[in-house]
Amino acid sequence: MKHSRVWQAVLACVILASLVLSSCAAPATPTPAPATKAPVATTAPVATAAPTAANPASITIAYSGYATSNDYWNGLGKAAAAEAAAKGVKFVDLTTETQDASAQKQAIDTVITQKPSAIIIGSVDPNVFKDTIAKAKAAGIPILAADTAIDDPYISALVQTDNLATAQALGDYICKLLNGAKGTALVMAGTVGHQTGDARQKGVADKLAACGENVIKQYGDWDENKSVQISTDTMTANPDLNVIFAPFDPGAAAVASLVKQKGMTSKIMVFGIDGLPVMFKAIKAGDSVATMKQDNVRIGTETVDDAIAILNGQPVKTPDLIPGILIDKTNVGKYLP
Amino acid sequence: MGSSSKDQYVVEMKNIVKKFPGVLALDHVNFQIRPGEVHVLLGENGAGKSTLIKVLSGAYLADEGEIYIEGQKVDIKSPHTAIEQGLRFIYQELSLVKDLDIARNMFLGMEPMRSARLGLVDWTKLYAQAGELLQRFHIDLDLHKTVGRLSVTQQKIVEIARALTTQAKLIVLDEPTDVLEDQSRHDLFEVIRRLKLEHGISFVYISHRYREVHEVGDRVTILRDGQNEGTYDVKELDFDAMIEHMIGGQLKKQYPDLTTPSQDEALRVENLSRKGVLNGISLTIKKGEILGVTGLMGAGKTELGRAIAGADSLDSGDIYVHGQKVKCANPERGIKNGIAYLPEDRKVLGLIQAHSIRSNYALPSLDRLSVAGLVQHHRLDQEAQEYMMKLSVKAPSMNTYVRQLSGGNQQKVVVAKWLGAHAKVLIFDEPTRGIDINGKREIYRVMEELLEQGVGILMLTSDYTEALEMSHRIIVMRRGSICKEFKRGEPQETDILREAIGEVDGVKV
Amino acid sequence: MTTLATRFKKVQLAPQVRDILPPLVGLVLITAVIGILAPTFRQWAAIANVFENASILFIMATGMTVALIANCLDLSVGSTYALVSVVTGQLLINQVPVPLAVLGGLVAGILCGVVNGLIVTQTGIPALIATLGTQLAFRGVANMIGAAVDMSRFPPEFDILGSGTWGPVINCIIAFGVVWFFLNKTKLGFHAFAIGGNEEVARLAGIPVNRNKIIYYAICGLMAGLAGIVYTARVDMAAVNRGQGMELWAIAGVVVGGTSLVGGVGSVVKTIIGVLIISVLQAGMIHLHVPSFWQQVATGALIIVAVWLDFLQRKTRA
């Protein structure tokens, strides 16, 4: 029995240690401070009440992105942190490693009590922030949305890839490649109700339908397993399938390698959106045709700039739509190391 | 008694038929209960007692037959209907919330409300009603006492009290005394008697204990093989006649003659102690000997068994098997050393009900039956088959699920299991509790057989008759210590009881 | 003796066949209905696809079968799957030879299982809570190792593990063989049924319950890891955020096949059928062009029906 006491203690330590490690040791982010450790910046004057130019050193911007385990968001967060450093303002990163809507909301709710000057949210689920926004409003803290819109009039600014326009551009590009050939296109979205995935699906699907494709819409849930499964089943269900679009590059890359295994690469073109290395390699190898790279660095930078501008009482453009960059075989070399 | 007209039964069940796949559980059974009587329902396991009661309670639907309550034909479709009709059922297992006090248990699920809409309970009213009820029925219990701290008898009485919170015509008690100690049964009988005489409530009393029939019953109905063997005034029927009706033949001798044990020692225990539970227990068992250990509930019988088998840890003490000192830090070691513990509740602890005879047999013997971690299925089949024949386990095959076997056959499987594991000492904890007379006899026969194999048996029992008849020697335990050892034939039941309680004089039996 | 033996063989076979009959009939019915309604489903490519997609889940479900039979619920397998994927991926991109990388991944899977087993047996925390905790913790570790790292384009001798129809299917056969042998031929497998059937009886019969449970969790982790490796090879990339919610699919596959959720009863043969039912249903709905919301509703309904049937069966047996 004493023996098991020791075990219990050891185990408790291991569990605690692993939990602590897992919550703050994502290597990609240098200071992913948990909410409780966030530097307190209570001295910052309430932004909206102080339209005069604020001293940059007294500004603290709290940022919570989608997940640090995601390349795209990791780059966005880094760019935002770099811009904050360049402008001499304090920057607190609350992002969790994996996407977790409730953890994100909790972290933001907590940080509001510490009164940062402004909050930037790259939301996992844009629909959960109703009372968070009310609290921020009461505390006079402006909120900016990065990448994904939050539907609330209090949101001071939205900086995002123009997902619809980007997807439409990709759709036009695909139609051009099809060059009048008709077939079936599988166009996937993300999870149900996720604005980004929906816009990407709509942009591509509308254009493809307009140029004569038979469009099948599915939800891939941002999950490679599911995207692959849907794709392979759709392939056999629709022998005339000639286009697969996944709204995220890891999914598109996974689908591309399956299409290759089935020896269908010459018949089925695979497209993604995000602009991640895994997809660049697939494009270079000819497994996949094209992706749209979002300008995550510009989004991160401009959101921080907008936050500072708002705190200084200057007007900002919202929504600030950043266009995507098409990457195919012709220009992929530029993005590969 | 019997002054009311014959048609005015509280409950009358007419020509009840209930079939299960392959079994006719109830074969046109008629059963009538008069107002204000205690009607004992007797029968072997599988005679149809619980099926009949389940039909009455609405748990089963009868295939044929009618039920009349106070002359009105009633269609009992669900337990809810039965309760509405004033029928109450108290099952063998206690069904009280142990952390709540008596009053709250009594009104559980039907608390008087201050506001039904808001779900607010009127606690004052609840306690007032509960107090009034207990007083009216002369039940002397403290309303605020937590049920978990009551004795088993008191808990039974609380269950009866709960049945009385709404207008009850009939209370069915399913083997209520099976878990009760001798002297506390009388308290329960007293409550029953008073409710019957003063309030005209009828009781159906299901029991294995034939002696209780005369103590508490007015009339008795005997079921055998799903048929009503007859309903009698208790006074008309003596013990032997009752048994004869039940088992349908001449009363066979219940207890076997015990053979003389060998002089070799099977088990010796010295100074076994476990803080607060066991104090310096020393005993020996010879090969082929049964040592009976008895005492009141909580005297430490089960704890002694578990400690020897290694299921509980020890503070001090030595254990010798066949003269060799052994250490049993866990049941695994205990079994390797040849000591097996057969727990009291064989349904839960002795066998895996959802598994076959063969699988259950194999459990403690797998080490022996495996080579390099692989089970030798042909050897296992062979052995399981042999033991089934040797112990005449009645089952279609060794792949029959244990839950399909009768109580006696289940116990045989338990014995086969331990013989297979080459057990040298078997510890039986309450081996025949809840088993009918035939099942008991078969278990005793199995014990005899074990003795012939040179196994030493430690029998923990709270049935004094069983201790007297089935032991070579008897040890009486009290508060974790051995207080007396008797030889076979030496003591009377009263002697044992006196030792167990710890009073020298004035014991009522 | 021989006549006796043959007689018992017959009796022995009957309940086994009877046991798998309901899910088997379900599988045949669902397949037939989809085959009749969707012409595109009636081709080898579509069937091969079902097997390929089922294979990953099946490998994971074989381990889950062992765990559930022993009443060791494991909710962490989805995270183990991701963790093993990134461990193997990291090893491969650091030029570790393929066999060693695969071995490394499998060891990581086993370790995850051992951690689960130790927590459950040594602390007494209910398995549901303990493995829910490790589900988070393992994914955290996966993130530490693999977040924002590009792990793709592995050597072809690795990719072969998951490519085509045969890569996954051969792995399935291996997983099935290992688990079937374990459950039916070994002492530890025999013990799994006993522990799941009634832990206290098993303990009193001298079975080292705690040690065994750790082994069952380890097998569950091992198979989740193998699934992670096969899938990593199949899509030729490793990623941290895959396998979320997959534990529920694995449990569903096991339970739909007819293995009891409360332990003591089950077989890996049933799991084949259960996983195939789920895969056929999912593929079938795509072939039938059923909108995706309805796909979720149908799969959910299937699980409820399966558990309900198990419940009814146990009730009638009692």
Side-chain angles (χ1 to χ4, degrees):
Chain A
M1 288 296 114
K2 274 177 199 150
H3 190 62
S4 82
R5 277 274 164 71
V6 177
W7 265 114
Q8 284 166 22
V10 171
L11 269 171
C13 293
V14 170
I15 297 165
L16 281 177
S18 62
L19 285 178
V20 168
L21 283 174
S22 66
S23 65
C24 46
T29 33
T31 51
T36 45
K37 279 201 250 158
V40 183
T42 44
T43 50
V46 172
T48 46
T52 48
N55 171 17
S58 67
I59 293 178
T60 302
I61 295 173
Y63 161 78
S64 171
Y66 183 83
T68 55
S69 60
N70 178 304
D71 283 328
Y72 167 80
W73 280 96
N74 191 36
L76 197 157
K78 276 183 177 167
E83 179 66 6
K87 292 280 161 73
V89 302
K90 288 200 192 94
F91 186 79
V92 181
D93 191 344
L94 307 168
T95 311
T96 53
E97 322 78 44
T98 50
Q99 62 274 31
D100 182 338
S102 66
Q104 182 180 43
K105 179 180 154 46
Q106 271 173 30
I108 295 168
D109 285 350
T110 312
V111 87
I112 286 172
T113 63
Q114 300 171 336
K115 297 221 172 9
S117 320
I119 298 172
I120 298 171
I121 303 177
S123 54
V124 177
D125 180 351
N127 304 316
V128 300
F129 293 111
K130 217 150 216 98
D131 63 302
T132 304
I133 289 168
K135 281 182 216 155
K137 198 173 177 178
I141 303 167
I143 296 181
L144 297 88
D147 182 87
T148 307
I150 298 171
D151 185 19
D152 191 291
Y154 182 70
I155 302 300
S156 310
L158 165 65
V159 183
Q160 71 176 162
T161 300
D162 191 337
N163 275 306
L164 188 63
T166 303
Q168 282 168 342
L170 181 64
D172 282 335
Y173 173 81
I174 299 170
C175 283
K176 212 162 66 194
L177 289 181
L178 286 171
N179 195 20
K182 303 267 186 291
T184 296
L186 169 63
V187 183
M188 287 183 272
T191 44
V192 176
H194 196 289
Q195 177 244 20
T196 306
D198 288 352
R200 289 174 177 183
Q201 182 187 47
K202 184 174 163 33
V204 174
D206 287 354
K207 290 291 180 183
L208 288 181
C211 71
E213 284 278 290
N214 166 34
V215 175
I216 296 174
K217 293 183 182 179
Q218 292 280 1
Y219 288 90
D221 290 352
W222 305 119
D223 180 307
E224 312 149 38
N225 291 20
K226 196 167 176 200
S227 304
V228 165
Q229 191 178 331
I230 291 173
S231 300
T232 51
D233 283 333
T234 307
M235 243 184 264
T236 52
N238 302 276
D240 64 339
L241 190 75
N242 57 2
V243 172
I244 298 177
F245 167 75
F248 64 123
D249 273 355
V255 170
S257 68
L258 257 295
V259 170
K260 183 183 168 190
Q261 277 179 41
K262 306 241 168 204
M264 303 285 274
T265 310
S266 59
K267 249 193 95 191
I268 300 174
M269 298 187 285
V270 180
F271 301 90
I273 281 194
D274 272 346
L276 296 179
V278 66
M279 194 61 170
F280 298 156
K281 286 188 190 168
I283 291 171
K284 192 170 174 220
D287 302 345
S288 178
V289 179
T291 184
M292 298 293 288
K293 180 173 162 37
Q294 304 189 75
D295 208 339
N296 53 350
V297 172
R298 216 176 121 191
I299 294 173
T301 311
E302 290 200 8
T303 317
V304 170
D305 288 347
D306 283 358
I308 296 169
I310 290 165
L311 293 172
N312 287 330
Q314 295 155 357
V316 297
K317 176 185 157 206
T318 182
D320 183 0
L321 297 178
I322 313 284
I325 309 159
L326 181 89
I327 295 167
D328 63 8
K329 206 152 190 170
T330 59
N331 62 348
V332 72
K334 264 201 296 187
Y335 297 92
L336 275 169
Chain B
M1 215 42 34
S3 57
S4 49
S5 87
K6 263 211 154 179
D7 308 318
Q8 263 313 320
Y9 293 115
V10 183
V11 170
E12 180 172 21
M13 301 177 81
K14 269 191 185 164
N15 285 317
I16 302 289
V17 175
K18 177 73 194 172
K19 289 177 200 141
F20 291 114
V23 186
L24 187 56
L26 293 176
D27 182 7
H28 297 89
V29 172
N30 291 302
F31 185 49
Q32 298 103 356
I33 302 149
R34 292 176 185 155
E37 75 164 345
V38 176
H39 197 128
V40 180
L41 192 55
L42 267 182
E44 296 266 79
N45 275 351
K49 291 173 309 210
S50 23
T51 312
L52 185 66
I53 291 311
K54 280 183 176 156
V55 167
L56 185 60
S57 75
Y60 289 160
L61 288 182
D63 296 321
E64 288 174 41
E66 289 148 1
I67 298 173
Y68 296 85
I69 292 174
E70 291 182 329
Q72 296 286 314
K73 187 174 171 205
V74 177
D75 196 6
I76 299 184
K77 284 195 211 110
S78 72
H80 186 73
T81 328
I83 290 168
E84 265 180 357
Q85 291 294 330
L87 311 183
R88 299 287 178 274
F89 299 84
I90 297 173
Y91 297 102
Q92 209 169 350
E93 302 80 25
L94 292 166
S95 57
L96 296 170
V97 184
K98 296 228 189 288
D99 295 323
L100 294 183
D101 64 22
I102 293 179
R104 289 186 191 204
N105 262 296
M106 283 169 62
F107 284 92
L108 197 65
M110 36 188 188
E111 294 88 351
M113 295 308 230
R114 190 186 296 279
S115 158
R117 211 158 46 89
L118 296 177
L120 297 179
V121 175
D122 190 339
W123 294 112
T124 333
K125 197 169 164 196
L126 186 149
Y127 280 96
Q129 283 183 356
E132 196 187 312
L133 208 73
L134 290 188
Q135 211 169 17
R136 185 147 58 93
F137 294 115
H138 306 283
I139 297 170
D140 186 21
L141 288 172
D142 177 7
L143 279 181
H144 298 277
K145 206 162 180 187
T146 307
V147 160
R149 291 165 59 198
L150 300 177
S151 74
V152 184
T153 317
Q154 287 171 325
Q155 292 189 24
K156 274 287 169 208
I157 293 172
V158 172
E159 289 208 64
I160 295 177
R162 183 165 72 180
L164 297 170
T165 50
T166 50
Q167 204 60 51
K169 297 181 185 116
L170 170 74
I171 297 177
V172 178
L173 291 154
D174 190 358
E175 303 192 11
T177 56
D178 230 40
V179 289
L180 300 186
E181 297 294 329
D182 265 344
Q183 80 273 22
S184 50
R185 278 190 284 178
H186 299 279
D187 298 343
L188 180 65
F189 293 161
E190 197 48 44
V191 171
I192 291 175
R193 212 166 284 140
R194 211 176 266 140
L195 288 171
K196 170 181 84 171
L197 293 175
E198 295 176 13
H199 300 274
I201 295 170
S202 306
F203 285 85
V204 170
Y205 191 100
I206 302 171
S207 181
H208 281 304
R209 301 201 180 193
Y210 319 105
R211 251 165 277 182
E212 288 179 345
V213 174
H214 288 100
E215 247 178 297
V216 72
D218 298 311
R219 291 200 305 159
V220 55
T221 289
I222 296 171
L223 291 183
R224 194 174 80 219
D225 298 333
Q227 292 178 324
N228 187 344
E229 267 305 303
T231 299
Y232 309 90
D233 263 353
V234 162
K235 280 168 249 145
E236 291 171 5
L237 211 60
D238 68 4
F239 181 73
D240 284 352
M242 208 152 37
I243 300 291
E244 207 180 304
H245 283 299
M246 268 178 66
I247 63 176
Q250 278 299 309
L251 175 60
K252 290 180 222 151
K253 199 159 155 291
Q254 193 180 351
Y255 297 98
D257 296 319
L258 294 179
T259 48
T260 322
S262 116
Q263 281 310 301
D264 300 336
E265 165 188 300
L267 175 79
R268 186 167 87 246
V269 170
E270 285 177 0
N271 264 317
L272 217 59
S273 288
R274 181 161 194 244
K275 199 157 177 272
V277 183
L278 299 170
N279 315 317
I281 304 275
S282 297
L283 53 85
T284 54
I285 303 172
K286 300 271 194 288
K287 288 181 184 172
E289 181 184 46
I290 299 180
L291 176 65
V293 176
T294 187
L296 298 181
M297 271 198 170
K301 300 185 296 274
T302 295
E303 290 76 3
L304 174 65
R306 289 179 61 92
I308 294 175
D312 292 338
S313 63
L314 285 177
D315 293 332
S316 67
D318 297 318
I319 298 168
Y320 301 83
V321 175
H322 287 192
Q324 297 281 312
K325 184 166 173 180
V326 295
K327 265 213 136 31
C328 307
N330 50 44
E332 198 189 344
R333 295 296 315 158
I335 286 153
K336 292 230 167 73
N337 292 326
I339 301 176
Y341 174 71
L342 279 55
E344 171 181 349
D345 188 345
R346 71 192 185 290
K347 279 230 166 65
V348 179
L349 293 180
L351 293 171
I352 301 175
Q353 296 286 315
H355 287 185
S356 65
I357 296 174
R358 178 180 176 276
S359 297
N360 273 290
Y361 167 77
L363 274 192
S365 307
L366 274 183
D367 279 333
R368 201 166 49 70
L369 290 171
S370 299
V371 174
L374 302 185
V375 179
Q376 308 239 288
H377 283 280
H378 59 283
R379 265 177 68 201
L380 169 53
D381 287 349
Q382 215 172 1
E383 278 192 19
Q385 195 56 43
E386 271 170 31
Y387 275 108
M388 268 184 73
M389 294 210 276
K390 198 159 157 189
L391 298 174
S392 57
V393 176
K394 279 179 215 140
S397 93
M398 63 182 162
N399 293 302
T400 307
Y401 292 123
V402 160
R403 62 163 173 262
Q404 295 168 331
L405 302 180
S406 68
N409 277 318
Q410 288 193 11
Q411 188 80 1
K412 282 187 198 170
V413 175
V414 176
V415 170
K417 173 174 136 179
W418 295 116
L419 278 182
H422 301 321
K424 302 184 179 89
V425 176
L426 281 172
I427 302 170
F428 283 86
D429 197 348
E430 304 289 357
T432 62
R433 175 176 286 178
I435 290 183
D436 61 35
I437 204 162
N438 270 325
K440 274 185 184 177
R441 206 162 22 224
E442 288 184 20
I443 288 162
Y444 295 142
R445 227 197 64 221
V446 167
M447 282 186 171
E448 266 187 287
E449 214 164 303
L450 286 167
L451 294 181
E452 280 167 28
Q453 318 270 340
V455 173
I457 294 177
L458 182 67
M459 181 176 68
L460 315 169
T461 176
S462 43
D463 182 339
Y464 303 135
T465 322
E466 181 170 275
L468 288 170
E469 301 285 342
M470 277 304 291
S471 316
H472 293 92
R473 284 177 297 132
I474 303 156
I475 280 175
V476 184
M477 280 184 78
R478 193 169 70 225
R479 284 190 226 103
S481 305
I482 292 177
C483 58
K484 182 81 183 174
E485 180 172 332
F486 293 108
K487 285 206 179 60
R488 182 176 174 80
E490 209 174 62
Q492 297 290 311
E493 252 186 83
T494 48
D495 299 325
I496 293 181
L497 187 56
R498 190 176 298 129
E499 291 294 340
I501 299 171
E503 282 177 44
V504 181
D505 296 310
V507 182
K508 68 169 184 195
V509 178
Chain C
M1 210 59 218
T2 44
T3 54
L4 213 70
T6 47
R7 223 183 74 214
F8 277 113
K9 277 243 169 69
K10 255 183 215 158
V11 180
Q12 209 172 334
L13 218 81
Q16 280 170 357
V17 175
R18 211 184 322 131
D19 265 11
I20 61 164
L21 218 53
L24 194 61
V25 167
L27 175 62
V28 170
L29 276 180
I30 292 173
T31 312
V33 167
I34 293 169
I36 289 164
L37 295 179
T40 52
F41 193 71
R42 298 194 295 262
Q43 50 170 327
W44 168 244
I47 304 297
N49 230 352
V50 167
F51 282 119
E52 288 169 30
N53 288 329
S55 63
I56 309 290
L57 183 62
F58 175 73
I59 295 170
M60 182 183 275
T62 56
M64 187 61 81
T65 308
V66 174
L68 286 184
I69 284 175
N71 202 9
C72 296
L73 186 64
D74 188 349
L75 295 180
S76 71
V77 286
S79 298
T80 306
Y81 175 79
L83 175 59
V84 169
S85 160
V86 295
V87 166
T88 313
Q90 272 291 0
L91 291 173
L92 286 170
I93 61 169
N94 285 300
Q95 264 75 52
V96 172
V98 170
L100 284 182
V102 170
L103 191 68
L106 293 178
V107 168
I110 292 174
L111 281 179
C112 286
V114 169
V115 168
N116 279 329
L118 283 174
I119 295 174
V120 169
T121 56
Q122 302 301 318
T123 64
I125 298 171
L128 181 84
I129 310 294
T131 59
L132 202 58
T134 55
Q135 182 188 85
L136 289 171
F138 294 164
R139 199 166 287 280
V141 176
N143 281 317
M144 265 187 260
I145 299 169
V149 184
D150 169 35
M151 293 173 284
S152 63
R153 307 267 140 192
F154 301 124
E157 51 287 23
F158 176 74
D159 292 346
I160 203 159
L161 286 175
S163 57
T165 304
W166 289 109
V169 168
I170 285 174
N171 277 291
C172 271
I173 294 170
I174 293 171
F176 170 80
V178 168
V179 169
W180 186 88
F181 185 81
F182 179 81
L183 284 175
N184 292 289
K185 295 291 168 194
T186 69
K187 194 169 72 177
L188 282 167
F190 207 109
H191 286 169
F193 288 93
I195 292 172
N198 191 324
E199 195 174 323
E200 190 60 19
V201 170
R203 200 186 306 277
L204 287 165
I207 294 169
V209 172
N210 285 351
R211 187 202 73 188
N212 283 9
K213 276 189 161 184
I214 295 170
I215 293 171
Y216 305 140
Y217 273 112
I219 289 174
C220 193
L222 169 70
M223 290 306 172
L226 181 61
I229 288 172
V230 174
Y231 187 72
T232 302
R234 184 165 170 73
V235 297
D236 200 14
M237 57 188 274
V240 289
N241 51 357
R242 61 172 57 143
Q244 300 189 49
M246 206 170 163
E247 59 281 344
L248 294 181
W249 288 109
I251 293 171
V254 175
V255 172
V256 167
T259 291
S260 172
L261 201 48
V262 295
V265 181
S267 91
V268 69
V269 179
K270 294 178 180 179
T271 302
I272 298 180
I273 300 170
V275 171
L276 278 178
I277 288 179
I278 289 177
S279 289
V280 166
L281 197 66
Q282 282 178 339
M285 281 185 293
I286 287 172
H287 282 266
L288 293 171
H289 307 291
V290 176
S292 33
F293 305 122
W294 285 107
Q295 295 174 21
Q296 289 173 327
V297 172
T299 331
L302 171 73
I303 293 169
I304 293 171
V305 168
V307 176
W308 181 54
L309 285 178
D310 175 51
F311 174 76
L312 284 184
Q313 216 171 9
R314 257 185 291 149
K315 213 168 106 178
T316 48
R317 264 187 254 147

